Amino acid sequence: MAKVKCHSCGDDYGSRSKVCPWCKAPNLNYNASEVAAYESKQIKEALSVLLPVAGIAVAAIAIGTTWWKGAAEKAREAQREFNSLPIHTQLIKTKRASMTWRCEEGIKAKLKDPDSYRTADSYFYKGSKDNESEMVRTEISYRARNSFGGYAMGDATCGFDYQGRLLYSTVR
């Protein structure tokens, strides 16, 4: 942008200004068609940068929204499938690790050397019909050091209620 000298105050200012910004005297060299052409060029340059960016943003939002809807639908479907399972199966799926840990703690409490405990196998079953409060039963095969220092195999059975709380543990 070219500079012009104000005829009134003598300060320099841009040639595309209608008036001097300092004294408000009119710009005698002001050409409206030249300014309009310059502003039109500036707008076109700005749009040439903004339109591709806006297009990419709109595409990203559309893809993200579609993905989010698909992911949300998959989550709802998984929840419906999970809710259709029997309560003991739901309990096993959600609290398996904590029930195993509680059963192992019950086993270790009855061993002479609890630090030597190692799990061999564990199985989960629907609770027995004899005990109505028992929802899930787990059987764990383990090995641990006996009183003589040798390792022996053992089995334990633990029962859990509908909230995953340990009801009993039996070590054989």
Side-chain angles (χ1 to χ4, degrees), residues 13-166:
Y13 61 94
S15 64
R16 292 189 185 91
S17 297
K18 285 184 181 182
V19 295
C20 174
W22 315 112
C23 69
K24 306 298 183 215
N27 181 356
L28 300 177
N29 299 326
Y30 181 74
N31 183 347
S33 62
E34 180 186 316
V35 171
Y38 174 77
E39 288 175 350
S40 175
K41 180 182 172 191
Q42 292 294 96
I43 290 171
K44 285 179 183 176
E45 286 177 5
L47 287 176
S48 70
V49 171
L50 289 177
L51 286 179
V53 171
I56 291 170
V58 168
I61 290 170
I63 291 169
T65 303
T66 304
W67 175 84
W68 183 258
K69 285 180 182 177
E73 184 56 39
K74 285 181 185 176
R76 283 192 293 275
E77 179 60 33
Q79 186 64 45
R80 281 192 292 273
E81 185 179 311
F82 180 79
N83 289 342
S84 69
L85 295 172
I87 188 74
H88 69 276
T89 306
Q90 291 179 17
L91 186 63
I92 290 170
K93 285 183 173 276
T94 57
K95 301 199 178 212
R96 182 180 194 114
S98 65
M99 289 190 298
T100 301
W101 179 80
R102 286 186 185 106
C103 191
E104 288 175 350
E105 289 300 308
I107 295 168
K108 288 178 184 179
K110 297 175 182 177
L111 295 175
K112 300 227 188 253
D113 184 3
D115 294 333
S116 67
Y117 172 86
R118 299 289 180 267
T119 302
D121 271 325
S122 62
Y123 301 97
F124 286 83
Y125 305 100
K126 183 177 178 181
S128 70
K129 293 181 180 178
D130 302 338
N131 186 351
E132 283 190 30
S133 61
E134 180 187 61
M135 289 297 296
V136 176
R137 176 183 291 182
T138 181
E139 292 181 3
I140 295 181
S141 297
Y142 65 92
R143 69 183 195 110
R145 197 173 285 133
N146 62 20
S147 301
F148 302 108
Y151 278 89
M153 294 293 291
D155 293 311
T157 304
C158 297
F160 297 92
D161 67 4
Y162 69 96
Q163 291 181 333
R165 292 182 295 221
L166 181 66

